[in-house]
Amino acid sequence: MAYFMKSTGIIEDNVNSLLDVYFRLCSVEVNCTNIARMAAVLSFDGRAPWSNERMFVSKTARIVKAVMTTCGMYDGSGEFAVDVGLPGKSGVGGGIMAISPQRLGIAVFGPGLDVKGNSLAGWKLLECLSDELDLSIFSSRRGCADDVAFG
């Protein structure tokens, strides 16, 4: 795909260098604590809430959260926005990062994936947690038990 994009002029840089960076970024080993800390920094617009240290500018955090909301959950992004109501980013390893702006960063892990590559248990946990704590940025306050009772 990268070589095709190079041939059409979409990519102008050296493809091998770009792929090297991409593959390195895809190979970073993290755990739930690492992911939650990254999410917390995004939640607080680029500041680490445990030290108040500025990690990056707030505009970068806004851009990242917007991209997470629109495509961070692969082809399930729209459904995740409705079900959970938070910017989220999943990984095919089963992790999901979610951002509750100015409140908290959340990380969950569950290796069982749906057909779109998102953690099934992680998604459901975030859906119930978002509902229980009223975290949705779209605040529809409907209740996780509603799905069970009225299906």
Side-chain angles (χ1 to χ4, degrees), residues 43-114:
S43 172
F44 289 94
D45 296 327
R47 284 197 185 277
W50 53 90
S51 67
N52 207 31
E53 178 186 357
R54 166 78 49 204
M55 308 298 278
F56 47 84
V57 297
S58 60
K59 183 171 183 175
T60 300
R62 285 195 316 272
I63 291 167
V64 170
K65 289 183 281 188
V67 171
M68 288 172 68
T69 303
T70 58
C71 58
M73 302 296 290
Y74 308 114
D75 288 342
S77 296
E79 188 179 353
F80 188 81
V82 171
D83 290 351
V84 179
L86 299 173
K89 176 63 187 111
S90 67
V92 295
I96 301 177
M97 166 196 292
I99 311 299
S100 178
Q102 299 301 310
R103 292 179 77 181
L104 66 141
I106 308 165
V108 296
F109 174 77
L113 306 181
D114 65 16

Side-chain angles (χ1 to χ4, degrees), residues 5-21:
M5 292 170 73
K6 172 82 172 180
S7 74
T8 62
I10 294 171
I11 293 178
E12 296 176 0
D13 294 331
N14 180 285
V15 173
N16 288 334
S17 297
L18 292 174
L19 288 175
D20 181 60
V21 170

